[in-house]
Amino acid sequence: MTKIISERRQRVLARETTLGAIHPALNGPGTATTLRQERGEALRPIILGPSLLATLDDLKREALLTRWQREFTR
């Protein structure tokens, strides 16, 4: 798995946002480790790529991209 965000930054995500953290070394609320314990195999990574947007109509695609940009520019 390619890590886009460092462990330190993911710790901040888990603590201060609703996005959560996926780094396997992190535990506690807002982490994938805790969610996997609660949800089991229902928690899977989303593969980022063009296929993510392929089934969205123009309005939903624009809303998703706007929200994505807003969350990652905070």
Side-chain angles (χ1 to χ4, degrees):
M1 174 190 297
T2 302
K3 294 178 185 153
I4 298 174
I5 304 173
S6 70
E7 179 181 347
R8 190 181 109 218
R9 300 270 190 228
Q10 287 190 42
R11 192 177 313 279
V12 172
L13 284 174
R15 187 178 62 240
E16 298 180 16
T17 75
T18 58
L19 290 174
I22 61 169
H23 197 284
L26 300 178
N27 293 304
T31 66
T33 303
T34 299
L35 288 172
R36 269 191 217 94
Q37 291 169 350
E38 294 171 357
R39 309 276 186 210
E41 292 302 311
L43 182 69
R44 295 184 307 273
I46 297 172
I47 297 170
L48 299 178
S51 62
L52 181 63
L53 300 175
T55 60
L56 299 178
D57 62 40
D58 290 340
L59 188 59
K60 288 180 181 178
R61 181 181 300 118
E62 186 62 35
L64 175 65
L65 291 173
T66 298
R67 184 172 181 190
W68 179 274
Q69 290 172 344
R70 182 181 66 234
E71 293 298 330
F72 284 98
T73 55
R74 287 184 180 186

